[in-house]
Amino acid sequence: MPVLPTDWQSRVAFDRSHVWHPFTPEKDHVADPPVPVIGAEGVDYLLADGRRVLDGISSWWCNIHGHGHPRLVSALERQAGRLDHVMFAGFTHEPALELAARLRPRLPQSLTRCFFSDDGSTAVEVALKMAFQAQLQKGENGRTRFGALSDGYHGDTLGAVGVGELDNWLTGLFRPLLLACDRLVVPEDPRYEINPQDSPPRLERAIAEIREFFYEHGSGMAAFIAEPLVQGAGGMRFWAPELLAEIRKQCDSCGVYLILDEVMTGFGRTGRFLAIDTCGVAPDFLCLAKGLTGGMLPLALTWTTDTVYELFWGDASEGRTFYHGHTHTANATACAVACASLSLFDNEPVIACAEKLSCTMREAWTQLADHPSIRRARTLGCIAAAEIVDPRTGRPHDPALRYGWKLHRKALDHGLLIRPMGDCLYLMPPLVTPLERVHESVEVIAKLL
Ligand SMILES: Cc1ncc(COP(=O)(O)O)c(C=O)c1O
């Protein structure tokens, strides 16, 4: 007796009776039920009704090498058969060590210690807790607040929500439960726009504002957190590397740790291995997840320095231990897949591929930039973004119309998975996407707009 009915209509009815999906008003699924996906090949998903769609957003920004890459699949199978998982407290294993050994040379030299966790949110939680505890163990008891960028996003657990933007649809309502956090506004950088309206970038004013922010809040902050170069869920805001360098400087002079969240920007997404490779800024904590396993399995890392690590050194009775861990910390199977993904970066031209993809995305997005429904078309590496407007008024559509959601559903009929965030339309396909598929996708978007 099969557990599920054999037809997809009944299976979707089962889904509607028992399953709750992320980041979607469940009521939307009355008219537009969840789409059954039965397989994936390369950069495409295969839908149950026979449609084939390009994964235009790398399945929430995690897929790097396409789906089901044979080297990742065989690493998964091999490792699961040998040692699927062992708790990491008091034990260690080859895939975790190999992963640390493969990544270390690709990071700033000062980042020497890694702590494993499960996803982007937990990588951020680890960094926040470690930074706070490190300050306490230095005797800095008054540092009970954090600093962050306005429009930031660092995940959905409460610590991560507390340092994300609160004045938007993602997190606002949890305000009474959150960490104390002061927010700094940085301007978007018009140098990434295809038809910049605003030039040159207002760097001097922004640098002065950063200095004022740290003058006001620096002595009470344990750490400052930012997504380097690209604020993803905050609306694909591209910001200037010069400002990140200034934030680093201010953190140093105020004794504040700098946490950089490369959960989205890591692993080639910006055209370099890490976004910080563009600006030469080394953080005290670096958060990695999503693309760490090429997007195949959940796994995360928080890297930090020897100086931080030494603050946790001591006998159990001294109370300096970092008492944090998750059941699947350093899951051996996920670590083996991450090693296979990094070996592709080492042995195949993944970054060269990302550079070509960046150029093609810029070219294709340039064609879209003058569309009457588009404003502020911009690209940074393999990320292209723009604001959708009503062509009759030049202003955003009424949110009640759910324009972005409708565009997402319509695009599926034309072989493309995109999922605008409010008015923000973006394309962020796997790094190996064939270049002609980028042009085709942009033609689909232009037609649907
Ligand atoms: C910059 C950034 N940090 C953290 C997260 C949270 O990652 P996860 O969804 O894996 O918890 C995200 C997710 O989109 C992200 O973009």
Side-chain angles (χ1 to χ4, degrees), residues 201-222:
R202 295 152 295 156
L203 290 181
E204 274 161 32
R205 204 170 86 205
I207 286 175
E209 284 169 4
I210 292 171
R211 290 179 184 160
E212 278 163 33
F213 176 86
F214 277 87
Y215 182 74
E216 192 178 340
H217 302 290
S219 61
M221 280 193 285

Side-chain angles (χ1 to χ4, degrees), residues 61 119-122 124 153-156 227 233 261 263-264 289-290:
W61 321 343
D119 51 42
S121 306
T122 53
V124 167
Y153 176 74
H154 301 285
D156 293 339
E227 297 153 86
D261 174 353
V263 166
M264 187 273 268
K290 289 190 189 281

Side-chain angles (χ1 to χ4, degrees), residues 94-100 102 292 334-344:
E94 185 180 343
L97 301 181
E98 183 185 329
L99 174 52
R102 282 187 179 277
L292 176 59
C335 288
V337 171
C339 290
S341 172
L342 288 172
S343 87
L344 292 177

Side-chain angles (χ1 to χ4, degrees), residues 46-227:
L46 310 177
L47 309 188
D49 60 9
R51 285 177 292 175
R52 184 181 184 103
V53 298
L54 172 78
D55 184 0
I57 57 168
S58 299
S59 214
W60 266 346
W61 321 343
C62 67
N63 190 279
I64 303 290
H65 313 291
H67 293 275
H69 191 289
R71 296 263 291 277
L72 273 56
V73 172
S74 72
L76 186 156
E77 287 173 349
R78 222 177 320 119
Q79 187 58 43
R82 187 180 295 164
L83 166 66
D84 53 352
H85 176 65
V86 56
M87 61 187 264
F88 208 56
F91 295 89
T92 194
H93 51 69
E94 185 180 343
L97 301 181
E98 183 185 329
L99 174 52
R102 282 187 179 277
L103 258 178
R104 243 298 306 139
R106 292 183 169 274
L107 307 181
Q109 275 194 341
S110 54
L111 296 175
T112 50
R113 285 277 164 184
C114 60
F115 192 96
F116 287 85
S117 65
D118 304 343
D119 51 42
S121 306
T122 53
V124 167
E125 295 287 338
V126 166
L128 296 172
K129 287 177 71 180
M130 260 185 197
F132 178 73
Q133 188 173 338
Q135 293 283 13
L136 284 183
Q137 289 171 187
K138 270 200 301 192
E140 295 274 349
N141 298 334
R143 295 187 178 271
T144 54
R145 302 182 69 83
F146 289 89
L149 294 185
S150 287
D151 291 307
Y153 176 74
H154 301 285
D156 293 339
T157 52
L158 282 178
V161 168
V163 291
E165 175 61 53
L166 295 183
D167 292 328
N168 68 16
W169 42 281
L170 287 169
T171 53
L173 93 162
F174 295 104
R175 194 182 288 266
L177 307 182
L178 303 177
L179 296 174
C181 180
D182 299 298
R183 288 177 179 75
L184 167 71
V185 178
V186 285
E188 288 184 69
D189 188 340
R191 288 173 293 187
Y192 297 105
E193 288 185 23
I194 285 163
N195 299 317
Q197 305 289 309
D198 238 3
S199 57
R202 295 152 295 156
L203 290 181
E204 274 161 32
R205 204 170 86 205
I207 286 175
E209 284 169 4
I210 292 171
R211 290 179 184 160
E212 278 163 33
F213 176 86
F214 277 87
Y215 182 74
E216 192 178 340
H217 302 290
S219 61
M221 280 193 285
F224 187 94
I225 183 167
E227 297 153 86

